[in-house]
Amino acid sequence: MGFWDAVTEIIDAATPWATVEAEAPADIPAESAPAAESTEETTAETEAEEPAAAADEAEEEAEEEEEEDEDEIVDPKETLEEECRNSKECAPAKHHYDECVARVTGGTGAEGEDCVEEFFHLAHCATQCAAPKLWNVLK
Amino acid sequence: MLARTALRSTRTFASAKNGAFKFAKRSASTQSSGAAAESPLRLNIAAAAATAVAAGSIAWYYHLYGSASAMTPAEEGLHASKYPWVHQQWFKTFDHQALRRGFQVYREVCASCHSLSRVPYRSLVGTILTVDEAKALAEENEYDTEPNDQGEIEKRPGKLSDYLPDPYKNDEAARFANNGALPPDLSLIVKARHGGCDYIFSLLTGYPDEPPAGATVGAGLNFNPYFPGTGIAMARVLYDGLVDYEDGTPASTSQMAKDVVEFLNWAAEPEMDDRKRMGMKVLVVTSVLFAMSVWVKRYKWAWLKSRKIVYDPPKESATRH
């Protein structure tokens, strides 16, 4: 969108005879993606009408594809925080946490000891380090 | 003793200021405090007794309750890290695409337990949904009508003026359905929690895979470091790919949490966009008025500020009068 488009839009919006419309958002890429899927499904269904066995196979394939699509989503927060946890920045906190876990699970710690405080320090360090990176990734 | 010395010093100061007038009073006060200064033994005994009582009270507490495990970090909960929310910047509005996604997450995930009772359908129009979408959504639910001719209250489909329906009839039903825990209303939750958006985002995404070693988690509770006490009745609800976004955004856990938190911030502060615009207007208008007032003042005072008072002494004349 050019500069003059912006100017004309502002003028259009400011004119008293202009109407404000709550338009549905135009999601061109979003609509195209499900449309492609639906066409695939319809083709699968048309194939399915002929032999029953082929239909089952096609459905199974479609389901597998969907499952694969879901599996592809990886939470960037997890990966970024994992990176941060292993970074040099959080090395002291991680060292203390690991030591505490070894102590408590090994049974050499004080009675009723838990690693919540060490966990907090590590989590604080990791989230603090990952926060700006995460916001660059998320929409 | 301290108070007495303080009093005395002020008195001496006052008398010094007032000179001889207060002299008699000062001498009287120094005489009266002389008695206490004579017996340091009594003071030492009092101090020792106070210390013994203080130490004894601590010892007594330990005897009664064992080691003090109060004010632990777990009790306080982990403070959420600050996230660079765009909509919280001064000159930024809500991302209304994010609000739309967040509303979808609320409707498909949160709404089964949490009410949003202060948000009517009409407020969604133009901010999150179109008029037709909001009307269609409202009509999915039934609401009470006015009493008819026989005084019966019938049901009618929802209108834009109706409020979002509650998942439970009342708080007791909500507690009963959730193992005794009441899911709070989310209308003002961003304002109602310390840490606001950061806290809710961290809470939603912060469930660890397993609680840290040695941590005790109560029956029916889940470990969440951000919840004060770390035992929260709500289990983790957001998982990757739980929601199919209509705009094709990959629905990772953090993306859904971010969107729904921004939506909840909108629910708590629907006036934010307008408020920021109004603030901008106020700044512009007041700065112009201030500049004008400065110039007007300079104009009005110009005659006074630019005048010059000259003392022209008479010339020394040789003759004396």
Side-chain angles (χ1 to χ4, degrees):
Chain A
M1 196 173 73
F3 174 70
W4 288 111
D5 290 346
V7 171
T8 49
E9 273 190 4
I10 289 167
I11 292 168
D12 284 346
T15 46
W17 54 84
T19 52
V20 180
E21 288 172 341
E23 282 181 274
D27 301 325
I28 300 150
E31 281 171 11
S32 65
E37 282 180 11
S38 63
T39 50
E40 281 174 18
E41 283 172 11
T42 49
T43 51
E45 282 170 11
T46 49
E47 284 172 12
E49 286 170 8
E50 296 157 6
D56 288 341
E57 281 176 12
E59 278 178 13
E60 278 172 11
E61 278 173 17
E63 279 173 14
E64 279 172 9
E65 278 173 17
E66 279 175 14
E67 281 173 8
E68 279 171 10
D69 284 349
E70 282 174 7
D71 287 346
E72 275 171 21
I73 297 172
V74 177
D75 191 4
K77 189 170 188 275
E78 298 284 328
T79 50
L80 287 171
E81 285 185 2
E82 188 59 39
E83 277 171 28
C84 282
R85 240 170 286 175
N86 295 324
S87 68
K88 194 181 162 191
E89 202 182 333
C90 297
K94 189 171 168 51
H95 170 72
H96 282 294
Y97 179 66
D98 289 344
E99 209 176 63
C100 174
V101 170
R103 195 168 59 230
V104 170
T105 52
T108 52
E111 195 186 348
E113 187 182 359
D114 59 33
C115 297
V116 172
E117 194 172 346
E118 287 82 358
F119 177 81
F120 276 18
H121 290 155
L122 180 58
H124 177 76
C125 177
T127 50
Q128 198 87 346
C129 146
K133 297 175 197 166
L134 181 63
W135 246 241
N136 287 337
V137 177
L138 293 182
K139 196 166 166 184
Chain B
M1 183 66 195
L2 182 71
R4 247 183 229 174
T5 14
L7 269 178
R8 195 172 54 197
S9 66
T10 49
R11 274 189 195 159
T12 44
F13 180 67
S15 62
K17 206 165 66 176
N18 294 337
F21 182 70
K22 297 268 181 170
F23 184 76
K25 215 173 188 180
R26 188 189 69 167
S27 64
S29 71
T30 40
Q31 273 173 10
S32 71
S33 69
E38 275 170 20
S39 61
L41 178 68
R42 280 168 59 196
L43 286 174
N44 287 345
I45 289 171
T51 313
V53 167
S57 67
I58 296 172
W60 193 29
Y61 179 89
Y62 270 88
H63 171 67
L64 285 177
Y65 302 112
S67 72
S69 60
M71 296 296 288
T72 57
E75 247 173 76
E76 181 78 3
L78 176 54
H79 282 220
S81 298
K82 282 243 172 288
Y83 287 96
W85 297 95
V86 173
H87 70 265
Q88 287 181 343
Q89 294 169 22
W90 278 30
F91 300 110
K92 292 287 162 65
T93 62
F94 285 119
D95 174 6
H96 287 251
Q97 278 296 308
L99 293 187
R100 205 178 152 86
R101 291 196 299 268
F103 181 55
Q104 190 186 350
V105 174
Y106 167 75
R107 225 172 57 218
E108 293 183 11
V109 183
C110 317
S112 56
C113 295
H114 289 277
S115 56
L116 198 66
S117 57
R118 284 161 199 270
V119 177
Y121 288 105
R122 60 185 157 78
S123 68
L124 302 170
V125 174
T127 49
I128 292 173
L129 305 175
T130 66
V131 181
D132 297 335
E133 282 171 334
K135 276 184 181 166
L137 195 65
E139 283 164 6
E140 287 175 10
N141 299 293
E142 286 191 328
Y143 292 85
D144 289 345
T145 50
E146 294 285 301
N148 63 7
D149 294 344
Q150 285 109 39
E152 305 281 329
I153 293 176
E154 291 170 352
K155 293 284 184 183
R156 60 162 171 79
K159 300 187 285 192
L160 282 184
S161 55
D162 287 315
Y163 285 75
L164 294 184
D166 297 344
Y168 303 108
K169 276 179 286 185
N170 44 49
D171 285 0
E172 283 69 23
R175 280 208 174 86
F176 180 70
N178 289 289
N179 210 1
L182 175 67
D185 183 75
L186 296 183
S187 311
L188 295 166
I189 202 77
V190 169
K191 280 181 172 174
R193 290 291 176 273
H194 181 74
C197 289
D198 295 324
Y199 168 72
I200 295 168
F201 178 82
S202 303
L203 190 82
L204 289 174
T205 56
Y207 287 92
D209 294 334
E210 53 187 26
T216 49
V217 184
L221 298 181
N222 301 277
F223 183 87
N224 191 311
Y226 297 96
F227 192 72
T230 68
I232 186 169
M234 182 176 81
R236 181 179 167 173
V237 282
L238 293 178
Y239 289 96
D240 293 337
L242 184 66
V243 168
D244 272 337
Y245 280 134
E246 55 184 7
D247 60 354
T249 309
S252 59
T253 303
S254 43
Q255 179 69 52
M256 285 186 287
K258 181 175 181 247
D259 291 338
V260 83
V261 167
E262 190 159 344
F263 167 73
L264 291 177
N265 198 346
W266 169 84
E269 295 180 284
E271 83 293 349
M272 192 197 77
D273 290 356
D274 281 337
R275 174 158 55 79
K276 282 180 180 169
R277 191 172 53 185
M278 180 53 83
M280 190 73 196
K281 283 178 189 168
V282 167
L283 287 180
V284 167
V285 170
T286 49
S287 60
V288 167
L289 288 177
F290 178 70
M292 278 170 63
S293 71
V294 169
W295 284 108
V296 168
K297 182 257 167 191
R298 284 173 66 86
Y299 174 72
K300 293 283 185 190
W301 283 68
W303 65 271
L304 185 69
K305 292 282 188 183
S306 60
R307 75 181 175 175
K308 192 175 180 183
I309 299 172
V310 179
Y311 173 58
D312 203 3
K315 290 227 171 59
E316 188 116 356
S317 53
T319 54
R320 283 174 168 257
H321 297 289

